[in-house]
Amino acid sequence: MSTSERTHTALAVVLACASASCLPRGDCLRNSDCSSTLTCSGGKCVVQSQAESDDADEDATVEEASDGEAAVELDGTQPNEPTEASDAFEASSVAALDGGGLE
Amino acid sequence: MKVAHLRFPSIRARLIVALAPLTVSIFASRAAPAQQYLLGASGEIGSGIEGGGSGQTMMELAPVRLRIAADLRVDEFPADIYAVGMLIDLVPRSAFGFDLRYARRLGSKFELNAGGIAYIAPQSLFGPSAGFKYRMALSPSAELTVGPEANVFVIGGDLPSGTILWQAFVQAGIHVDL
């Protein structure tokens, strides 16, 4: 293959790649690619507040991941999870009510 | 017999005498009446690819861009060129900006340039820019220019947060000495 043929082939590949879908595309690269009420975030046009909350979620996820053990220790008791203390309190309350009702 | 005492000038005086011709020559050369400012104008059109994004990188075809520029050089330093350009993105979207560049001629056919580029509409983008040109003479005062250019936008209201935008252009045009 001569030099000019190789150049032609390389140019053809570059042009075909640039014009076809082999470029990894998103909806947007700039904020102005989106309509005025939207901004570009992660290659997609999103509502501005959503973009901010996405950022906040990402930050929170990172924080949870880094403080995973601490989060478990602090949040070990789930709000709806029954515990021994609450069971005992519930049983005594029921007994008192039952007792009062009998008398 | 008396020995004549020769009085040597002070070090300061000797320094002044030594440096005077150099100083005069520097300022004289800058203010020489033969010095002329040479103006040039150019028009170029180009396109390429651009990309950016956080996390996954995205690429797409860069806008088709028209650049109309004026440049200035001094006849005593013809290799040093200062240029200002107006940028107009034509398709697929319209945008307007400008650039400032210092260009250095490398021989008669090549040129390296570097500077800053800014878009001001529809939103702002700012960053550094660098390029290379091959200049082919069409006539004593006109040249065909072809070459690549790279731009990186690092700040601006048009940038999504936490990202940069890069462009790789190939452009062609004509430069004329005015």
Side-chain angles (χ1 to χ4, degrees), chain B residues 74-85:
Chain B
V74 178
D75 61 349
E76 291 179 358
F77 310 99
D80 297 319
I81 305 168
Y82 302 91
V84 56

Side-chain angles (χ1 to χ4, degrees), chain A residues 18 24 29-33 40 43, chain B residues 50 58-59 61 93 157-158 160:
Chain A
L29 279 175
R30 304 168 170 83
N31 288 328
S32 61
D33 292 340
C40 185
Chain B
E50 63 179 10
M58 283 159 292
M59 280 190 282
L61 288 177
R93 56 181 163 263
D158 211 4

Side-chain angles (χ1 to χ4, degrees), chain A residues 74-95:
Chain A
L74 288 171
D75 207 15
T77 308
Q78 297 298 320
N80 296 324
E81 187 180 339
T83 61
E84 288 180 11
S86 63
D87 287 347
F89 175 74
E90 195 176 339
S92 63
S93 304
V94 170

Side-chain angles (χ1 to χ4, degrees), chain A residues 18-19 23-33 40-44 55, chain B residues 50-52 57-61 93 122-123 125 157-161 165 167:
Chain A
S19 59
L23 294 176
R25 287 163 180 268
D27 291 340
C28 57
L29 279 175
R30 304 168 170 83
N31 288 328
S32 61
D33 292 340
C40 185
S41 177
K44 293 180 179 177
D55 289 344
Chain B
E50 63 179 10
T57 302
M58 283 159 292
M59 280 190 282
E60 60 184 36
L61 288 177
R93 56 181 163 263
Q123 291 189 48
L125 285 171
D158 211 4
L159 277 181
S161 63
L165 178 66
Q167 293 179 323

Side-chain angles (χ1 to χ4, degrees), chain A residues 11 14-15 18, chain B residues 44-50 61-67 130-134 145-151 166-173:
Chain A
L11 268 177
V14 168
L15 288 175
Chain B
E44 295 168 307
I45 194 159
S47 187
I49 56 173
E50 63 179 10
L61 288 177
V64 175
R65 193 188 74 181
L66 178 67
R67 178 173 185 265
F132 176 80
K133 281 181 189 172
Y134 173 72
T145 61
V146 183
E149 179 187 311
N151 305 316
W166 57 264
Q167 293 179 323
F169 272 94
V170 175
Q171 55 187 0

Side-chain angles (χ1 to χ4, degrees), chain B residues 1-23:
Chain B
M1 183 176 169
K2 274 191 170 183
V3 177
H5 288 279
L6 291 174
R7 186 187 169 99
F8 289 101
S10 67
I11 293 176
R12 189 177 165 190
R14 273 183 282 175
L15 263 178
I16 289 171
V17 170
L19 291 176
L22 180 65
T23 311

